[in-house]
Amino acid sequence: MSATPTGPRLSFLTPAYRTEAYLADTIASVLRQTDPAVELVVVDNGNSDEIRDIGMSFAAHDARVRLVRQENRGYRGGVT
């Protein structure tokens, strides 16, 4: 990630619950943005092993991706 004194210029939040089929494409789409000073926070809102694996496979190679795991807290819990 391009380091700036205040952090990324743009942050994306992606709540993920039963979205395993779409998550890799979603992450790849964000990482294709032309501005390198972005971050993507993927919230695994249900502790899915598959979502963890997908998120970590991207995070291991790109510091702009962060994975947050939690028990399912419903829609509000995934975005707050």
Side-chain angles (χ1 to χ4, degrees):
M1 173 167 60
S2 295
T4 63
T6 59
R9 284 189 286 271
L10 182 62
S11 296
F12 293 91
L13 174 66
T14 302
Y17 178 73
R18 296 185 179 173
T19 58
E20 293 86 351
Y22 311 103
L23 186 57
D25 288 339
T26 300
I27 295 171
S29 176
V30 170
L31 296 179
R32 285 192 301 268
Q33 299 304 304
T34 57
D35 186 345
V38 299
E39 74 172 341
L40 171 62
V41 179
V42 177
V43 179
D44 177 1
N45 194 27
N47 276 331
S48 160
D49 290 341
E50 190 173 355
I51 287 176
R52 178 204 60 216
D53 293 346
I54 295 166
M56 291 305 296
S57 71
F58 281 91
H61 298 98
D62 197 319
R64 297 176 294 171
V65 178
R66 291 191 304 132
L67 178 65
V68 175
R69 301 190 76 213
Q70 65 186 23
E71 294 295 324
N72 186 291
R73 296 181 188 161
Y75 174 78
R76 284 189 161 178
V79 297
T80 57

